[in-house]
Amino acid sequence: MTALGREETTNEDRPTSGFVAEIVRIQRRKHGLTQDGLGDLIGWTGSAISAVETRAQPISDEMLAALEPVIGDGLGLFTSARKYVLREKFPKRFRSFSILESEALSISTYEDFVVGGLFQTEEYARALIGGGHPSPLDEKREELVEARRSRRTLFDREESPLLELVLDESVLHRPFGSRQILRDQLLSLVEDAKRPNVSVQVIPLDRGLRGSHAGDRGPMHLVETKDHERVVYMDIEDQGILVSGLGEVSQLMHRYAKIRAQALSPDDSVELIERLAGEMA
């Protein structure tokens, strides 16, 4: 079992972003452009370019995409940098796992409080991140939302992984931000569940009345890596924990299997989610 860290990100934690800032400056000067001039060409202000070059603000994914055709010289530098810069926007505790996640053959997730990050809508993620304690500044919140939403590229990867999500029913009743945000999130879950590589299941609220509830010990993410190894990731009180020991992973796999067995079928789960969304209309 390995703790992946709980520190917040700083400039020193972002070597790729620092390197990209230098490349922006070098390429801008190579093309004979001022900061205002480059900003005009890509739809940003000169002060925004200055903030990137001095690392006062992290470069956005949208700016990286806009820079490529203007000062990229056909090298693909800014395009290639996008996934690495996005990864640095995750909290440190999550970065190592994000690499495993992006390359995974399968990801099986159980959540008992919120919708899993991979499945979150932008507004749901924004309300959830902004409502935490301590609440991040607006700029940091948007950076975290951007990073979280970037994970959804996994859904459309050329070789799509198998994605399973098991939710406690309480998640479907717990709004963040507004009830409309929750309703939109439920409808998004229904759409995701229609993908051939995705299944969504729900553990009923009254599961505990039947004598057992295998999900009583909290959420987990069970991953089959590209090398066909099994690891489990848990995010507890801002501390990322990666479990890779065979015995520990085996125990958690068995627990997850029990959780899934206690859930409604995928079809019945989607029907429940649709009904709850309909009641919010």
Side-chain angles (χ1 to χ4, degrees):
M1 184 179 296
T2 304
L4 299 181
R6 57 185 302 168
E7 305 95 329
E8 291 303 315
T9 56
T10 65
N11 281 344
E12 289 69 28
D13 298 327
R14 297 178 170 185
T16 299
S17 297
F19 179 68
V20 169
E22 292 293 330
I23 296 299
V24 172
R25 181 186 295 110
I26 291 169
Q27 289 296 98
R28 174 179 63 78
R29 291 175 175 173
K30 176 183 175 183
H31 285 257
L33 294 168
T34 64
Q35 291 175 340
D36 287 333
L38 177 57
D40 288 342
L41 288 175
I42 66 171
W44 268 264
T45 64
S47 60
I49 302 299
S50 174
V52 166
E53 292 185 356
T54 60
R55 301 191 67 190
Q57 292 183 0
I59 192 166
S60 69
D61 188 58
E62 290 82 3
M63 185 181 286
L64 281 169
L67 286 169
E68 185 61 47
V70 176
I71 60 172
D73 293 342
L75 299 175
L77 292 173
F78 299 110
T79 298
S80 298
R82 290 173 66 181
K83 66 179 180 180
Y84 299 103
V85 170
L86 276 170
R87 187 172 294 153
E88 287 185 345
K89 293 181 180 181
F90 290 121
K92 283 185 69 177
R93 68 180 185 274
F94 189 78
R95 291 182 195 171
S96 295
F97 176 72
S98 73
I99 298 173
L100 294 176
E101 180 185 73
S102 67
E103 300 174 343
L105 298 178
S106 69
I107 304 174
S108 302
T109 298
Y110 168 63
E111 294 282 3
D112 63 353
F113 191 78
V114 300
V115 173
L118 270 176
F119 294 82
Q120 291 176 10
T121 66
E122 182 174 338
E123 289 304 316
Y124 185 93
R126 181 172 290 111
L128 181 61
I129 292 169
H133 181 77
S135 180
L137 298 175
D138 288 349
E139 177 187 318
K140 179 63 176 178
R141 179 195 63 194
E142 292 307 306
E143 179 179 301
L144 290 170
V145 170
E146 178 189 16
R148 185 166 298 181
R149 289 290 292 169
S150 74
R151 294 165 60 192
R152 285 186 61 86
T153 58
L154 192 64
F155 284 90
D156 301 311
R157 203 178 69 190
E158 185 174 349
E159 295 183 4
S160 300
L162 175 66
L163 300 174
E164 295 181 345
L165 175 65
V166 181
L167 295 171
D168 189 273
E169 187 184 338
S170 62
V171 174
L172 308 179
H173 297 271
R174 183 174 295 113
F176 290 94
S178 72
R179 293 194 176 279
Q180 184 60 47
I181 290 175
L182 177 59
R183 181 174 187 271
D184 292 341
Q185 176 64 77
L186 298 187
L187 294 175
S188 178
L189 273 176
V190 170
E191 290 304 307
D192 283 339
K194 294 177 182 178
R195 296 171 180 263
N197 62 315
V198 174
S199 69
V200 177
Q201 293 179 255
V202 177
I203 295 184
L205 279 175
D206 63 358
R207 176 64 229 182
L209 296 177
R210 304 186 184 186
S212 69
H213 190 313
D216 65 335
R217 300 190 186 183
M220 71 172 85
H221 306 270
L222 175 62
V223 177
E224 181 184 4
T225 72
K226 64 179 181 179
D227 298 319
H228 302 284
E229 297 175 343
R230 300 276 184 171
V231 297
V232 178
Y233 176 76
M234 294 178 285
D235 197 336
I236 303 171
E237 292 295 333
D238 292 337
Q239 183 170 354
I241 298 173
L242 190 66
V243 181
S244 57
L246 294 180
E248 294 172 302
V249 170
S250 177
Q251 181 179 11
L252 291 169
M253 285 176 58
H254 293 162
R255 184 176 299 158
Y256 174 81
K258 188 68 173 180
I259 291 171
R260 185 174 58 185
Q262 291 180 345
L264 300 174
S265 71
D267 288 344
D268 289 344
S269 296
V270 169
E271 183 178 330
L272 172 61
I273 296 170
E274 288 179 318
R275 176 170 61 80
L276 291 175
E279 293 173 356
M280 297 179 191

